[in-house]
Amino acid sequence: MNIFRPIKTLKNFFELSSKRLLCVRAENAQKLEETIWDVVISGGGMVGCSMACSLGSSEILSEKKILLLETSEKTQYNIDPSKYSNRVCALNPNTRNLFSGFHAWDKICNTRMKEVRKLMVWESCSDARISFEHAGMMDNVAYIVENDVILKALYERLDELTARVEVIKGSKAVDYVFPTEDTDLVNIQTDKGLTLKTRLLIGADGIHSLVRKKMKVKYVSWNYDQKGIVATLKLSEPTENIVAWQRFLPTGPIALLPLTDDLCSLVWTVSLPMCDKLLNMSEEEFVDALNSALWDESSKNPLVESALSTVKNVLSTITPSAESVRQLPPSILSVEPKSRGAFPLGLGHSTEYVAQGVALVGDSAHRVHPLAGQGVNLGFGDVQCLTECLETAVYNGNGIGHLNSLLDYEVKRQRHVVPAMFAIDSLNRLYKTEFTPFVLMRGLGLTVLDALSPIKEKIIHQASA
Ligand SMILES: Cc1cc2nc3c(=O)[nH]c(=O)nc-3n(C[C@H](O)[C@H](O)[C@H](O)COP(=O)(O)OP(=O)(O)OC[C@H]3O[C@@H](n4cnc5c(N)ncnc54)[C@H](O)[C@@H]3O)c2cc1C
């Protein structure tokens, strides 16, 4: 049984010794195997780590023994002050509140993030547009944070919770044996030869989740035959840069997320052949293609344009101040060297999130298109809901892995996640077409919706929940 990480030099030894998280020592291994854990979280990505922080910070669960298991050995998230990562997430206010609750939000703010006050959405086939902002700009609509900044904050918080949460990095779970009639414990086998026992296994192991596969639940999934190109971009002119921009094109949406006064993060959905072309272009050609995707007006449909202008005239007579002011998107000066990357996009949904002693959170349970910036926010919503359900179970004297409390979590989350997935998938399909009746329908819908502030406010609240 090889549970040691090779220690080659003295320097290496001291580095490793100072990193509680990195490896399993011999004396530790026995303790880890003898302990009956209340919760083991498999997968220490953004959602798994926040699950560990949330449970480890809960007063009601203070007696519970929690362990987080993560394949990656990475323990240091050094954030380069002069360089932004191309992987970012738009976090919603609900996620901010969750992170504040377990004392990780201040760590994000102390590193770096960008507040977004307004979201502007428009399309290439017509002049229809919509903007989202809180009344009187009372709150931000989102926060743009690099994935590494989120992970850094979460691991720093876990460092403060050592008395309550054990973290094993560099170990992969390779098998799970679920409860039988004889035992209500889950057995976890790791690639380093450890066997762990837990009352509740939480699968936070991403889209290819082994926990989900072992649960043998139905998983509905498809690929979009699209990729999301990400990159860090420099704007032609520095601005206040507090707006997130999204333009729907028939090839897929393009989004600019603010990072600083003169930097933006790109998420550009394109077809697979177009993706290869864009990644292989020179930086100058790429920037030209980008500016054209943001500004080109050649696919505008004149029939739709004249119908929309009539509707806008009528709306401006009924509600003169309702239509949002037209703002122009920024233009791009350059792409940061080597910042271009691409990720396959797909949809996936596990029909069941729980079984006796097991629960799924984050991308292991549901995967969505990034066009609405909801993916990881849905996962953080799972974290919040599962924490509350487990707290209720423990408060009422029930077992932590008891199916009834887990079913409560499943019902509550599926009621929220399934409609959100449906809406995101429908938007992606609706905006792919250039068929005039559909362009007209969506243009009219967007124009009317833009004039209805109370409904827009409700949409932002729903997207933040
Ligand atoms: C281009 C793009 C842009 C996006 N933008 C946004 C956005 O703006 N807003 C938003 O909300 N979402 C966004 N998303 C979605 C978001 O990135 C994902 O929802 C999020 O990363 C999922 O986190 P997770 O922790 O559930 O899974 P993952 O990040 O996949 O983490 C799973 C972890 O489990 C570990 N693991 C896997 N198997 C095992 C095992 N057997 N044993 C131990 N550990 C294991 C892995 O090493 C990994 O660390 C975007 C996605 C893409 C592709």
Side-chain angles (χ1 to χ4, degrees):
M1 182 164 83
N2 177 17
I3 50 168
F4 297 104
R5 190 179 148 74
I7 296 172
K8 290 184 186 125
T9 64
L10 200 61
K11 177 175 173 284
N12 195 202
F13 171 79
F14 284 117
E15 270 176 9
L16 294 183
S17 311
S18 66
K19 289 172 191 160
R20 174 185 71 94
L21 310 172
L22 192 58
C23 64
V24 180
R25 280 161 222 293
E27 71 273 18
N28 245 352
Q30 197 184 356
K31 220 175 100 199
L32 292 170
E33 291 201 307
E34 281 170 3
T35 305
I36 295 185
W37 298 95
D38 291 296
V39 182
V40 170
I41 301 156
S42 190
M46 290 185 282
V47 175
C49 281
S50 64
M51 190 78 240
C53 290
S54 181
L55 297 180
S57 304
S58 161
E59 283 306 312
I60 298 175
L61 304 175
S62 61
E63 301 295 313
K64 301 298 171 194
K65 294 190 273 296
I66 299 156
L67 185 141
L68 174 69
L69 190 65
E70 164 58 37
T71 309
S72 158
E73 291 187 347
K74 189 170 176 183
T75 54
Q76 296 289 319
Y77 289 89
N78 295 322
I79 309 299
D80 183 343
S82 61
K83 196 172 161 213
Y84 276 75
S85 159
N86 60 6
R87 290 309 312 273
V88 308
C89 279
L91 302 182
N92 65 30
N94 202 45
T95 295
R96 173 200 61 199
N97 296 343
L98 172 75
F99 276 49
S100 295
F102 57 64
H103 309 290
W105 187 250
D106 50 346
K107 299 183 196 315
I108 288 182
C109 299
N110 290 341
T111 310
R112 64 188 179 202
M113 58 91 182
K114 180 76 180 172
E115 295 175 343
V116 180
R117 306 294 276 178
K118 193 172 181 178
L119 172 62
M120 293 288 296
V121 181
W122 79 116
E123 67 153 309
S124 59
C125 296
S126 80
D127 240 349
R129 63 180 184 275
I130 189 164
S131 70
F132 293 98
E133 64 196 288
H134 284 287
M137 286 206 175
M138 292 293 281
D139 195 2
N140 297 306
V141 288
Y143 301 83
I144 309 303
V145 193
E146 293 148 277
N147 293 9
D148 276 359
V149 172
I150 298 174
L151 283 167
K152 177 177 182 280
L154 292 171
Y155 276 110
E156 277 174 14
R157 177 61 185 145
L158 286 173
D159 268 344
E160 296 166 357
L161 293 170
T162 48
R164 302 207 18 203
V165 184
E166 188 76 38
V167 181
I168 308 178
K169 293 215 86 180
S171 274
K172 183 178 182 174
V174 288
D175 197 18
Y176 304 101
V177 181
F178 292 148
T180 58
E181 279 173 8
D182 304 328
T183 173
D184 58 0
L185 297 179
V186 179
N187 270 267
I188 302 156
Q189 195 71 44
T190 78
D191 60 347
K192 301 282 186 321
L194 279 178
T195 305
L196 305 164
K197 291 181 269 316
T198 182
R199 295 189 171 88
L200 173 63
L201 167 69
I202 300 181
D205 48 351
I207 53 179
H208 303 296
S209 169
L210 180 62
V211 177
R212 188 186 66 232
K213 283 175 194 154
K214 287 282 170 180
M215 283 167 78
K216 296 200 165 67
V217 290
K218 211 166 162 198
Y219 184 64
V220 183
S221 67
W222 57 79
N223 288 324
Y224 282 117
D225 294 328
Q226 287 175 322
K227 278 194 178 181
I229 296 185
V230 294
T232 309
L233 309 172
K234 198 168 181 100
L235 304 182
S236 299
E237 278 175 41
T239 66
E240 202 184 0
N241 211 9
I242 50 168
V243 180
W245 302 87
Q246 176 142 282
R247 188 183 202 199
F248 282 94
L249 309 163
T251 44
I254 178 167
L256 298 181
L257 309 172
L259 291 174
T260 66
D261 287 357
D262 65 348
L263 290 178
C264 268
S265 190
L266 170 75
V267 184
W268 186 2
T269 302
V270 293
S271 64
L272 302 181
M274 194 173 159
C275 178
D276 289 341
K277 236 170 105 182
L278 286 165
L279 290 182
N280 291 323
M281 280 176 182
S282 69
E283 284 171 2
E284 290 73 21
E285 286 171 327
F286 181 75
V287 170
D288 285 348
L290 236 170
N291 279 321
S292 157
L294 288 168
W295 290 90
D296 184 54
E297 307 259 292
S298 61
S299 12
K300 275 197 176 158
N301 183 321
L303 207 74
V304 175
E305 281 298 273
S306 80
L308 284 185
S309 99
T310 313
V311 172
K312 278 181 193 164
N313 285 340
V314 174
L315 283 172
S316 65
T317 322
I318 309 170
T319 52
S321 60
E323 196 196 348
S324 56
V325 183
R326 179 159 195 193
Q327 268 181 276
L328 296 176
S331 70
I332 308 304
L333 178 71
S334 59
V335 55
E336 296 291 279
K338 299 199 176 103
S339 72
R340 275 179 284 175
F343 297 87
L345 305 177
L347 176 143
H349 188 251
S350 176
T351 51
E352 289 161 42
Y353 292 2
V354 302
Q356 178 67 39
V358 195
L360 298 173
V361 290
D363 274 20
S364 67
H366 40 72
R367 176 190 186 195
V368 295
H369 195 289
L371 71 87
Q374 284 295 301
V376 82
N377 288 296
L378 290 174
F380 293 138
D382 297 344
V383 168
Q384 185 172 18
C385 182
L386 185 55
T387 305
E388 286 164 8
C389 290
L390 296 180
E391 285 177 338
T392 308
V394 170
Y395 188 78
N396 292 333
N398 296 326
I400 199 158
H402 199 276
L403 188 58
N404 284 351
S405 346
L406 298 180
L407 281 171
D408 191 25
Y409 157 72
E410 178 180 280
V411 169
K412 284 182 175 149
R413 282 317 285 163
Q414 290 202 346
R415 260 187 216 151
H416 181 82
V417 171
V418 174
M421 292 185 80
F422 179 73
I424 294 167
D425 185 61
S426 306
L427 268 180
N428 192 37
R429 285 169 199 280
L430 182 63
Y431 277 96
K432 265 185 183 171
T433 177
E434 289 174 279
F435 184 46
T436 303
F438 282 102
V439 177
L440 182 63
M441 186 180 80
R442 72 193 185 208
L444 289 174
L446 213 61
T447 306
V448 173
L449 191 59
D450 193 40
L452 301 172
S453 302
I455 297 184
K456 286 202 292 180
E457 191 73 26
K458 276 205 166 135
I459 293 173
I460 316 182
H461 276 117
Q462 186 62 22
S464 301

